[in-house]
Amino acid sequence: MVFTKLITCSGPVNIAVIKYWGKRNEELILPSNSSLSATLNQKELKTVTSVMASESFSEDRIWLNKREEVITNPRLQIVLKAIRERYKQRKGCHDPLLNCKLHICSQNNFPTAAGLASSASGYATLVFAMGKLFDIPVGELSQIARLGSGSACRSMFGGWVKWEMGEAEDGRDCKAVQTHDECHWPDIRLLVLVVSDTPKETSSTSGMASTVKTSELFQHRVNHVVTKRLGLIEEAITQQNFPVFAQITMQESNQFHAVCLDTYPPIFYMNDVSKSIVDLVTQYNAFSREIKAAYTFDAGPNAVIYTLKESVAEITSLLLHFFPPSTQEGFLKGFSFQIDSDQGKLEALKAKVNVPRKVDALRYILLTSVGDGPRVLSEQEHLLSPVSGLPK
């Protein structure tokens, strides 16, 4: 009888508030500074991955978003090797699973390579699924995920997650840890503003390498800024202090993109729409006389706005006014309620906010919250046929 094993899992996106940018060791993916992120609810943003092992397969194969890709990607190979080696150390050379080739099928329900942490959720889900397939202890998985994509280690947990940079040269103390679970701050909401769903021109990997080599601001950031901010924002999350949390989040985003501009040649991830979103949030907070929203941008033009549940309708109404779609159909995603704001206050806001209106500047707005870590899915959710081992 042919040995076969199939498992399917889902994994979340994470959005950093303290940014990871730059490595002190390229091969081991050891970051230049610790970072911290929120794991997002998988209802709106997730990767689903099926991994099937079979003695009948002649080679390892992988399908990403319904297209077969070459499986020779160096990072992917490092992850596959790490999983197999750990399993071999515990089970020995003659276990049937070690004689199997793998078929991997993975799909995102959001844009890939557009600055929405698709590599993080992708590698986290792959490593989690392979961990289940090969029975690897959960405690080892964040370090393996890091070898595929640095920030993937943070998507191995739900809630609020810190990636500890560690000190050891071999990376044994470089890992992700959950600082607060997904239930800790239930009123936090995130508005994901998709400006572009096309791949970015400068990959994060090459961008980081250029920054480390050429940016003087980067060195100042690593040596004098990040550690202090990390301590302050952890305390703000613990105390559910939104104004402090929001201010640090925006300062971090600003400095990350300043470091990109200080890189030579400069790297431009934000565009004119991104800058208009920054202006809108800044003026909205000024009008409110308190910080009610915080923007953050990763390596791409798409914005994420952190806010509290009570402010979602007001902020969304403002976004709909200044960045109106030609058609409302499918523009608001994840909203289970009617957008209903104080019209008098909204009109006053429109009059005060000095941002040019841009029709169809946003592809869509997605509302989400802080969520849990990777999950094992049911047999009905397999992306691969249990019979043929090919995508359904």
Side-chain angles (χ1 to χ4, degrees):
M1 186 174 179
V2 176
F3 178 86
T4 300
K5 192 175 181 181
L6 171 61
I7 193 162
T8 298
C9 299
S10 67
V13 167
N14 73 78
I15 298 295
V17 290
I18 301 296
K19 304 296 187 183
Y20 150 56
W21 192 254
K23 305 179 187 76
R24 69 179 192 276
N25 184 307
E26 287 277 352
E27 183 180 355
L28 297 176
I29 315 292
L30 303 182
S32 299
N33 61 270
S34 298
S35 56
L36 192 141
S37 63
T39 299
L40 305 194
N41 196 312
Q42 293 182 57
K43 184 179 179 182
E44 289 81 28
L45 295 168
K46 67 181 177 182
T47 298
V48 175
T49 299
S50 292
V51 181
M52 185 173 179
S54 177
E55 291 176 319
S56 68
F57 296 158
S58 60
E59 60 182 344
D60 292 338
R61 298 174 70 182
I62 187 168
W63 292 264
L64 301 178
N65 296 314
K66 301 184 178 180
R67 284 183 54 186
E68 185 165 11
E69 304 284 349
V70 294
I71 201 162
T72 54
N73 177 284
R75 287 292 160 197
L76 177 58
Q77 287 298 314
I78 287 170
V79 167
L80 298 182
K81 182 179 178 182
I83 292 283
R84 283 167 163 154
E85 285 185 346
R86 279 167 172 77
Y87 187 75
K88 183 178 178 180
Q89 288 168 5
R90 293 203 321 279
K91 298 291 185 178
C93 300
H94 303 295
D95 189 272
L97 194 52
L98 288 171
N99 297 323
C100 294
K101 297 298 183 180
L102 300 174
H103 283 189
I104 301 164
C105 188
S106 185
Q107 292 183 10
N108 297 327
N109 68 345
F110 60 94
T112 300
L116 286 175
S118 58
S119 63
S121 64
Y123 272 105
T125 311
L126 172 63
V127 169
F128 184 78
M130 290 192 66
K132 293 296 181 183
L133 191 77
F134 284 86
D135 194 28
I136 306 296
V138 174
E140 299 179 25
L141 295 182
S142 85
Q143 291 176 307
I144 298 174
R146 185 197 81 224
L147 297 174
S149 174
S151 53
C153 68
R154 297 192 307 247
S155 281
M156 298 302 299
F157 301 94
W160 302 87
V161 184
K162 179 166 64 173
W163 178 9
E164 297 177 338
M165 64 179 288
E167 297 179 356
E169 290 185 7
D170 63 1
R172 64 182 180 273
D173 56 353
C174 180
K175 60 185 179 181
V177 295
Q178 185 187 67
T179 62
H180 304 81
D181 68 24
E182 60 268 26
C183 301
H184 168 70
W185 199 350
D187 286 343
I188 283 283
R189 295 293 183 271
L190 300 93
L191 289 162
V192 180
L193 279 51
V194 177
V195 175
S196 171
D197 55 8
T198 58
K200 55 202 174 193
E201 292 182 7
T202 305
S203 72
S204 296
T205 300
S206 63
M208 286 187 203
S210 296
T211 294
V212 171
K213 288 178 183 177
T214 64
S215 173
E216 294 181 9
L217 179 57
F218 167 76
Q219 299 300 333
H220 173 77
R221 166 178 165 72
V222 168
N223 294 330
H224 302 289
V225 180
V226 181
T227 301
K228 180 181 178 181
R229 281 183 179 164
L230 189 58
L232 290 172
I233 206 165
E234 280 193 79
E235 183 180 357
I237 293 168
T238 298
Q239 297 175 352
Q240 298 182 18
N241 184 333
F242 186 78
V244 171
F245 165 82
Q247 181 172 330
I248 295 171
T249 295
M250 290 186 283
Q251 288 175 320
E252 263 294 289
S253 180
N254 294 346
Q255 189 174 77
F256 159 54
H257 288 278
V259 164
C260 290
L261 288 174
D262 190 51
T263 300
Y264 186 80
I267 305 168
F268 301 93
Y269 285 122
M270 296 171 67
N271 60 21
D272 288 343
V273 178
S274 310
K275 295 168 190 174
S276 292
I277 293 167
V278 169
D279 287 343
L280 187 148
V281 172
T282 302
Q283 293 179 51
Y284 170 69
N285 287 333
F287 177 89
S288 302
R289 297 185 179 179
E290 61 177 312
I291 301 179
K292 297 177 70 174
Y295 58 79
T296 187
F297 295 81
D298 283 340
N302 302 313
V304 175
I305 297 177
Y306 281 89
T307 190
L308 297 176
K309 182 180 179 180
E310 64 193 35
S311 301
V312 168
E314 187 171 81
I315 295 169
T316 304
S317 295
L318 205 58
L319 291 168
L320 285 170
H321 174 74
F322 286 100
F323 305 107
S326 298
T327 173
Q328 290 278 356
E329 185 178 354
F331 185 72
L332 295 180
K333 302 178 184 292
F335 287 79
S336 58
F337 55 90
Q338 192 72 26
I339 301 300
D340 187 19
S341 301
D342 181 329
Q343 289 302 308
K345 184 177 181 182
L346 186 60
E347 290 305 317
L349 265 168
K350 291 176 185 177
K352 285 287 186 180
V353 172
N354 183 25
V355 174
R357 294 187 81 214
K358 297 180 179 180
V359 179
D360 291 333
L362 301 180
R363 301 297 298 271
Y364 58 87
I365 298 173
L366 186 148
L367 174 64
T368 188
S369 57
V370 179
D372 62 349
R375 310 167 182 170
V376 177
L377 302 183
S378 68
E379 293 180 1
Q380 289 71 35
E381 296 172 278
H382 288 327
L383 301 178
L384 293 169
S385 165
V387 178
S388 68
L390 298 175
K392 291 183 177 178

